[in-house]
């Protein structure tokens, strides 16, 4: 499969010139190569990523609306703009395929500012679906093997046994289900081989049940208690030596519930906010091979490989929607940075 430079793709394929109005991943030099540095500027922006470009655009636009002039200089260390928005385009069977090496998708529910920007820049016609979890259309690539989600389920998830050196108890399981169905449940129910810790989360689990019940009422539109008030006995049972510094009011919201989970629940007497996820899984008996598999499949490597605490990691991994309604841009997320550059050029005749 041929891989073409982003900046040359419309020249290589003349039929695509009318379709690709703003080719992704524009090299920075073609934007500032003719810039002659001045002795001073009104504004200096360090970084030509999406944040820097957006800041320059908003400043220039506000000054134009006020009929004022301003000189802006953008400094970028690399030879490309966009920062984490980094799109490569491929041609396969005369179709344009995009590969995102950074930010790749968005949702309108949580990103209203982005939607407003796309409307403002005239990119709404280029918003396209970003399908997730399609059994046949999305392909995975692990350790030299490529396969679809449907194929990964064949023969009781045999592909994972072939690719990773799993223990017997780790085989025949969908890797995406290990955290929610096994690990989370094990913590909630205080399932230990060591009976010393068998009841360590009993009171916390009872409070969590109350929080979840109230939150379900909120989601359904029914009347609900906005906070759960812990008794002194509950506080002492859950937090022990730290009881005096602990609030007795727990907010009935997703953030409030997850905060309670990571501060109140323990594994072997140690709070989840003191464990890293990798260390927790290893202590539970999962092999390094299995943990690596889980990390790769999750798409959130940082939850496994960083020093993020296990409680935060659970929230990131388990709050990710099972059927998300994601969107993307027709020619990749770098299309957004390109259009911003075009607008900045129009607003600033000196090319910041």
């Amino acid at each position: 499969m041929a891989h073409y430079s982003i900046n040359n793709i419309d020249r290589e394929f003349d039929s695509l010139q009318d379709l690709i109005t703003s080719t992704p991943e524009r090299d920075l030099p073609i934007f500032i190569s003719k810039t002659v540095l001045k002795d001073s500027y009104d504004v200096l922006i360090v970084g030509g990523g999406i944040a820097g470009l957006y800041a320059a655009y908003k400043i220039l636009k506000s000054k134009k609306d006020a009929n004022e002039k301003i000189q802006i200089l953008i400094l970028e260390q690399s030879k490309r703009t966009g920062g984490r928005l980094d799109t490569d385009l491929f041609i396969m069977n005369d179709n344009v395929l995009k590969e995102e090496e950074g930010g790749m998708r968005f949702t309108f529910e949580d990103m209203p500012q982005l939607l407003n920007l796309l409307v403002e820049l005239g990119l709404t016609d280029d918003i396209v679906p970003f399908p997730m979890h399609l059994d046949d259309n999305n392909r995975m690539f692990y350790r030299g093997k490529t396969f679809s989600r449907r194929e990964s389920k064949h023969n009781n998830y045999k592909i994972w046994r072939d690719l990773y050196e799993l223990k017997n108890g780790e085989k025949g399981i969908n890797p995406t289900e290990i955290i929610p169905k096994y690990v989370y449940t094990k913590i909630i129910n205080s399932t230990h081989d060591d009976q010393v810790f068998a009841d360590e989360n009993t009171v916390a689990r009872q409070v969590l049940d109350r929080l979840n019940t109230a939150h379900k009422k909120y989601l359904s539109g029914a009347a609900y208690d906005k906070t759960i008030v812990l008794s002194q006995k509950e506080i002492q049972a859950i937090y022990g030596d730290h009881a005096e510094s602990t609030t007795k009011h727990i907010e009935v919201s997703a953030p409030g519930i997850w905060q309670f989970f990571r501060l109140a629940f323990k594994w072997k007497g140690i709070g989840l906010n003191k464990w890293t996820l990798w260390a927790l899984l290893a202590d539970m008996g999962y092999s390094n091979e299995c943990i690596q598999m889980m990390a790769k499949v999750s798409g959130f490597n940082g939850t496994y490989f960083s020093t993020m605490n296990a409680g935060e990691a659970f929230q990131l991994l388990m709050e990710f929607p099972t059927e998300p309604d994601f969107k993307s841009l027709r020619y990749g997320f770098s299309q957004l940075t390109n259009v911003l550059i075009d607008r900045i050029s129009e607003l600033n005749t000196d090319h910041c």
Side-chain angles (χ1 to χ4, degrees):
M1 178 176 66
H3 178 204
Y4 295 89
S5 167
I6 298 300
N7 296 317
N8 295 329
I9 191 168
D10 56 347
R11 294 197 293 271
E12 296 286 345
F13 296 88
D14 294 337
S15 62
L16 297 176
Q17 287 183 358
D18 294 334
L19 296 178
I20 303 180
T21 57
S22 185
T23 55
E25 198 183 58
R26 178 171 300 170
D27 286 342
L28 195 60
I30 70 174
F31 177 52
I32 67 167
S33 58
K34 296 181 181 180
T35 297
V36 177
L37 295 180
K38 300 180 179 182
D39 293 333
S40 64
Y41 289 85
D42 301 304
V43 176
L44 172 65
I45 297 177
V46 180
I50 184 63
L53 295 176
Y54 179 72
Y57 168 70
K58 296 300 286 187
I59 293 171
L60 287 167
K61 188 174 184 299
S62 66
K63 292 299 182 180
K64 180 181 179 181
D65 293 341
N67 199 27
E68 299 176 2
K69 291 186 177 181
I70 189 172
Q71 295 295 316
I72 296 180
L73 177 66
I74 301 176
L75 298 180
E76 169 57 46
Q77 182 180 22
S78 68
K79 294 183 178 181
R80 50 169 296 276
T81 56
R84 287 192 66 252
L85 304 188
D86 186 5
T87 307
D88 281 335
L89 296 183
F90 296 84
I91 299 296
M92 178 184 289
N93 298 328
D94 295 329
N95 294 314
V96 180
L97 304 181
K98 57 180 178 285
E99 177 200 25
E100 300 286 12
E101 298 184 5
M104 64 182 69
R105 60 204 175 201
F106 54 87
T107 172
F108 295 143
E109 293 181 0
D110 301 320
M111 303 178 182
Q113 297 90 345
L114 176 59
L115 176 58
N116 291 336
L117 179 60
L118 295 176
V119 171
E120 188 175 328
L121 296 177
L123 285 172
T124 52
D125 289 342
D126 285 325
I127 297 174
V128 295
F130 187 94
M132 295 282 292
H133 300 164
L134 295 183
D135 281 350
D136 293 319
N137 287 0
N138 291 346
R139 298 196 65 81
M140 297 176 279
F141 185 82
Y142 296 96
R143 296 187 169 182
K145 298 289 185 180
T146 179
F147 48 92
S148 69
R149 188 175 298 273
R150 187 187 302 278
E151 291 167 343
S152 73
K153 301 175 183 178
H154 290 172
N155 298 322
N156 201 23
Y157 301 100
K158 181 178 182 298
I159 187 67
W160 303 112
R161 303 196 299 272
D162 294 340
L163 295 176
Y164 293 87
E165 297 181 13
L166 303 176
K167 296 179 179 178
N168 289 334
E170 299 166 347
K171 299 176 181 178
I173 301 174
N174 185 341
T176 63
E177 295 180 348
I178 295 177
I179 289 290
K181 290 186 65 174
Y182 299 94
V183 179
Y184 178 79
T185 302
K186 198 170 186 178
I187 291 171
I188 295 296
N189 295 325
S190 301
T191 307
H192 294 282
D193 294 332
D194 190 341
Q195 290 302 307
V196 172
F197 304 105
D199 299 321
E200 65 179 351
N201 292 323
T202 300
V203 178
R205 182 172 66 250
Q206 293 169 353
V207 175
L208 183 62
D209 289 341
R210 288 161 54 196
L211 285 166
N212 285 331
T213 298
H215 194 242
K216 288 178 181 177
K217 290 182 179 179
Y218 158 72
L219 294 175
S220 68
Y224 73 103
D225 295 326
K226 294 184 179 180
T227 60
I228 295 295
V229 181
L230 302 184
S231 68
Q232 193 59 40
K233 184 177 180 180
E234 289 173 327
I235 293 176
Q236 187 63 44
I238 294 172
Y239 300 107
D241 295 338
H242 303 286
E244 291 185 2
S245 60
T246 303
T247 178
K248 65 179 181 179
H249 295 89
I250 310 298
E251 179 183 344
V252 178
S253 66
I257 293 172
W258 279 112
Q259 183 181 34
F260 173 76
F261 173 74
R262 63 176 169 265
L263 295 178
F265 280 82
K266 307 176 182 68
W267 177 257
K268 292 187 176 179
I270 302 173
L272 293 183
N273 62 327
K274 303 298 183 182
W275 289 93
T276 64
L277 184 58
W278 189 293
L280 177 67
L281 294 171
D283 192 79
M284 287 183 170
Y286 289 97
S287 66
N288 284 343
E289 282 284 275
C290 182
I291 300 173
Q292 288 189 44
M293 175 186 70
M294 294 161 61
K296 295 299 183 182
V297 173
S298 74
F300 292 95
N301 287 349
T303 58
Y304 291 84
F305 299 127
S306 73
T307 57
M308 176 189 303
N309 73 65
E312 292 177 328
F314 274 107
Q315 180 176 358
L316 284 173
L317 292 170
M318 294 182 62
E319 276 203 331
F320 194 80
T322 54
E323 297 296 336
D325 183 21
F326 284 125
K327 307 293 182 183
S328 183
L329 292 175
R330 189 179 306 279
Y331 296 107
F333 233 153
S334 291
Q335 189 174 354
L336 172 59
T337 61
N338 244 29
V339 173
L340 275 176
I341 291 173
D342 291 340
R343 294 300 176 87
I344 291 171
S345 299
E346 295 168 4
L347 291 167
N348 186 24
T349 55
D350 289 325
H351 287 196
C352 55

